Amino acid sequence: MPELAQTYFQQLKRDIVQKVRQSHPQLDADISSWKGQEIRLFQQDLEEKANGRISEKWFYTHIKSDQPQLPRIDILNLLSQYVGYTDWEDYRSRRTAVRKLFQVPSAAQKYFAGAGIFLLLVALVSLYAQLNEPTTYQFCFVNADTREAVNGAGLTVVVLSENESPYRVPADELGCIAIRWREPTIRLAVQGAYYRTDTITRILNKAQATEQIGLKTNDYAWLLRIFSQADVNDWQKRRAQLNTMLTEDAQIYQLTEGQTLGMELYNKQEFINKMTMPVRSLKNIEILSTKFRNDQICELRFKQVYDEINH
């Protein structure tokens, strides 16, 4: 019976792993690979739940090696109690009952073997289908500094895929998008009226299907909006600021709304003049998009927002 007893001891090792991982799920499933801190966690758990101790030397002698000699009976009793049995004899007898329960005549073994292979194939096909089923991920965009939600109305999110053309995903009013995706990673090109354009790559985790992504503010766009709304007396200072923000060959487009959509083109100096004229013919603008070159705006699209008084 020595070989059978050794078989039970190997099973006991596997039961020990399941028990200790209830408290420390990070431990490796292979007990023979444990060392240092992992062994100490097991020692602590054994003392708390079975009121007994083993030395690290004993662990290396009997757990990490494959010697045929079993540990002392008192240690086997302790370990059996740790995994939920009365003692080593109780562990062996109940394990023997389980083995007999699953023993079948040789004629039936072939039938069950064939049925088992079929069921295994069905399970593998089902598992493959589940693993390849797209998961719905939600990404919510927030201001990287304030962590406030980005207004979805001014947000453009484009999904970049290697296998198909890029496509746009609409964001809701809280700046969130929902995407069904089966690949392990995803790339998004994100642009907001008052946020820097950014290409974002994420490694996806089905267990955490919702994530916040911070966007860096487009400071120049915010300043232009503030400039158009503020009453400033120092126009020379304002002109100098605008001159720094724009490239010399900046292309600036004003979109006009009416019965037909129109567009007006400004160069750098024309736009600065419009923004700094005391008459304030251009007031309360809304930035639609910006492009940068060397930290200066090289292309700007905006529209003028009228209230009831100015309209």
Side-chain angles (χ1 to χ4, degrees):
M1 297 290 289
E3 293 183 1
L4 185 57
Q6 186 62 231
T7 299
Y8 286 135
F9 183 58
Q10 296 304 319
Q11 179 60 50
L12 179 59
K13 289 182 183 180
R14 292 190 286 270
D15 291 343
I16 289 171
V17 172
Q18 293 182 5
K19 183 68 175 180
V20 74
R21 290 184 76 190
Q22 293 176 5
S23 303
H24 306 286
Q26 75 276 16
L27 294 184
D28 196 293
D30 181 8
I31 194 172
S32 64
S33 69
W34 293 0
K35 56 185 178 181
Q37 180 63 21
E38 296 159 313
I39 298 175
R40 286 190 288 275
L41 289 175
F42 168 50
Q43 289 173 316
Q44 179 182 353
D45 205 51
L46 179 65
E47 185 173 8
E48 292 176 355
K49 295 177 180 175
N51 195 29
R53 287 188 58 83
I54 59 169
S55 67
E56 188 168 339
K57 179 181 178 181
W58 181 94
F59 187 92
Y60 274 87
T61 301
H62 294 281
I63 301 295
K64 293 179 70 70
S65 67
D66 294 325
Q67 66 165 331
Q69 183 179 359
L70 289 177
R72 299 194 320 266
I73 188 64
D74 59 325
I75 300 297
L76 291 173
N77 289 338
L78 172 65
L79 297 177
S80 298
Q81 292 167 9
Y82 174 68
V83 297
Y85 295 82
T86 304
D87 51 26
W88 172 241
E89 185 59 33
D90 180 41
Y91 181 85
R92 289 183 58 183
S93 63
R94 289 163 66 177
R95 282 292 176 183
T96 300
V98 171
R99 287 171 60 88
K100 290 182 177 179
L101 179 64
F102 286 96
Q103 285 179 347
V104 294
S106 59
Q109 288 180 4
K110 295 181 180 180
Y111 169 79
F112 285 119
I117 293 174
F118 173 75
L119 292 175
L120 177 60
L121 290 175
V122 171
L124 289 174
V125 170
S126 176
L127 178 61
Y128 178 80
Q130 291 179 16
L131 292 176
N132 285 272
E133 180 71 16
T135 301
T136 299
Y137 297 94
Q138 184 183 58
F139 300 98
C140 293
F141 299 94
V142 297
N143 186 304
D145 298 318
T146 66
R147 310 308 295 180
E148 294 178 351
V150 173
N151 185 354
L155 198 62
T156 300
V157 183
V158 177
V159 179
L160 305 175
S161 174
E162 295 181 358
N163 302 320
E164 56 186 83
S165 301
Y167 62 92
R168 181 174 176 177
V169 179
D172 62 22
E173 60 182 9
L174 297 178
C176 296
I177 62 171
I179 301 175
R180 284 180 60 79
W181 199 256
R182 60 164 51 91
E183 302 298 328
T185 61
I186 191 170
R187 292 178 65 236
L188 306 172
V190 184
Q191 180 180 12
Y194 295 95
Y195 294 88
R196 290 276 187 158
T197 299
D198 196 5
T199 299
I200 298 164
T201 301
R202 282 292 184 272
I203 298 175
L204 302 178
N205 182 355
K206 291 184 178 181
Q208 297 177 344
T210 300
E211 181 181 356
Q212 279 192 347
I213 297 178
L215 299 180
K216 296 180 181 179
T217 56
N218 182 339
D219 295 333
Y220 282 0
W222 283 110
L223 285 174
L224 287 173
R225 180 72 187 275
I226 293 171
F227 284 176
S228 72
Q229 296 175 331
D231 292 326
V232 179
N233 295 322
D234 192 348
W235 297 107
Q236 292 302 320
K237 180 179 179 180
R238 175 65 52 79
R239 292 180 67 88
Q241 290 172 322
L242 290 169
N243 186 66
T244 301
M245 292 163 57
L246 301 166
T247 63
E248 291 300 324
D249 59 348
Q251 300 280 316
I252 303 168
Y253 304 89
Q254 179 182 358
L255 275 65
T256 57
E257 297 179 351
Q259 294 183 349
T260 59
L261 183 65
M263 182 181 295
E264 187 172 351
L265 176 64
Y266 296 91
N267 61 31
K268 176 178 179 176
Q269 291 305 317
E270 290 171 340
F271 182 69
I272 292 176
N273 291 339
K274 286 285 186 180
M275 290 288 288
T276 56
M277 286 179 61
V279 179
R280 299 299 307 277
S281 59
L282 182 63
K283 183 176 178 65
N284 199 20
I285 70 171
E286 179 178 324
I287 305 300
L288 301 177
S289 66
T290 54
K291 291 184 180 180
F292 283 79
R293 186 199 312 142
N294 298 327
D295 290 329
Q296 288 182 297
I297 297 175
C298 62
E299 182 179 305
L300 170 67
R301 294 176 185 268
F302 70 95
K303 68 179 181 179
Q304 187 169 357
V305 180
Y306 296 93
D307 54 28
E308 295 182 356
I309 297 177
N310 293 327
H311 188 60

